């Protein structure tokens, strides 16, 4: 079976390599990626043909090339929302955490939980699956029965709302040591 598939691939797909490269040169603006595109395309076609041979191999080859280029363009447009820059390490020894720092961390976590709770249901669900359960964008879309584009929109909306809730409002009060019986600023009594 493998030898038959190899022969089919050579005669039906590799026979069009020159036309394929001309097609990629005409339609893909990055010359340094032409060979990578070709190899990825060959891999996709070989894997697909191992399941079912296409009835029109040449048409399948060029349609697959268009789809691959469209996928690459879509991926290039996705903007990462991962944190940037050097962040202080979050792993510290327990004896290094002062009561003030511990309290400040608890307050920040409480504010984040409240901000998450105020998100619209679908946004909250998408953020949870994407950031907490660490599912891929595609898996989130499949699980919720929505498009990947909709997942992107929910993430963007949620990030804006969370940023507004956490940073645009009044700054969180600095943790202070208060005497017993006295309320901390911003909490309890007015």
């Amino acid at each position: 079976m493998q030898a038959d598939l190899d022969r089919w691939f050579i005669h039906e797909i590799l026979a069009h390599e020159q036309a394929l490269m001309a097609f990629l040169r005409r339609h893909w603006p990055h010359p340094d990626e032409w060979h990578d595109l070709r190899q990825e395309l060959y891999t996709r076609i070989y894997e697909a043909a191992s399941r079912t041979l296409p009835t029109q191999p040449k048409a399948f080859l060029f349609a697959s090339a268009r789809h691959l280029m469209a996928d690459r363009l879509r991926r290039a447009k996705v903007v990462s929302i991962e944190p940037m820059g050097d962040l202080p390490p979050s792993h510290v020894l327990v004896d290094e955490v002062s009561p003030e720092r511990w309290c400040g961390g608890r307050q920040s976590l409480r504010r984040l939980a409240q901000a998450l709770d105020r998100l619209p249901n679908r946004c909250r669900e998408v953020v949870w699956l994407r950031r907490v359960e660490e599912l891929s964008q595609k898996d989130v879309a499949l699980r919720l029965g929505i498009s990947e584009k909709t997942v992107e929109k929910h993430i963007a909306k949620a990030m804006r709302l969370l940023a507004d809730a956490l940073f645009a409002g009044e700054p969180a009060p600095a943790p202070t040591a208060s005497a017993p019986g006295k309320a901390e600023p911003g909490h309890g009594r007015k």
Side-chain angles (χ1 to χ4, degrees):
M1 176 76 182
Q2 186 76 23
D4 293 338
L5 180 59
D6 290 348
R7 274 192 295 282
W8 174 87
F9 190 80
I10 290 166
H11 294 293
E12 299 293 338
I13 301 299
L14 290 182
H16 304 292
E17 184 168 12
Q18 192 172 8
L20 174 64
M21 289 306 292
F23 179 81
L24 292 176
R25 284 185 195 100
R26 271 193 319 274
H27 297 293
W28 192 253
H30 310 289
D32 57 319
E33 296 178 6
W34 292 338
H35 294 290
D36 290 339
L37 282 168
R38 180 188 61 192
Q39 287 308 116
E40 187 173 344
L41 184 59
Y42 284 165
T43 302
R44 285 183 177 194
I45 288 174
Y46 193 89
E47 288 174 355
S50 69
R51 292 186 293 274
T52 305
L53 287 178
T55 55
Q56 298 179 352
K58 185 176 181 180
F60 183 68
L61 171 66
F62 287 95
S64 298
R66 282 190 302 277
H67 292 146
L68 177 59
M69 288 186 287
D71 288 347
R72 288 257 179 125
L73 287 172
R74 268 195 298 277
R75 269 189 256 132
K77 288 182 181 178
V78 175
V79 176
S80 174
I81 58 172
E82 297 298 322
M84 302 297 284
D86 295 330
L87 298 176
S90 60
H91 304 291
V92 294
L93 298 174
V94 174
D95 58 344
E96 289 182 25
V97 179
S98 67
E100 293 83 13
R101 189 169 175 189
W102 182 83
C103 183
R106 298 284 295 180
Q107 288 175 349
S108 296
L109 188 58
R110 187 177 306 114
R111 286 178 59 201
L112 177 61
Q114 290 168 348
L116 278 168
D117 287 342
R118 286 192 300 266
L119 288 177
N121 289 339
R122 186 54 70 133
C123 282
R124 183 175 53 248
E125 194 173 13
V126 168
V127 168
W128 185 266
L129 292 173
R130 191 78 179 96
R131 298 292 174 211
V132 177
E133 293 189 21
E134 297 182 338
L135 294 179
S136 70
Q137 185 170 305
K138 185 176 186 176
D139 290 338
V140 172
L142 288 172
R143 183 177 286 187
L144 299 178
I146 58 178
S147 71
E148 287 186 58
K149 188 72 173 171
T150 304
V151 171
E152 288 176 28
K153 288 180 181 178
H154 282 302
I155 289 287
K157 179 179 181 180
M159 292 302 114
R160 276 192 313 273
L161 292 171
L162 288 173
D164 289 347
L166 296 175
F167 303 114
E170 292 181 22
T176 59
S178 59
K182 291 189 178 180
E184 290 183 25
H187 298 298
R189 296 179 236 161
K190 294 190 179 189

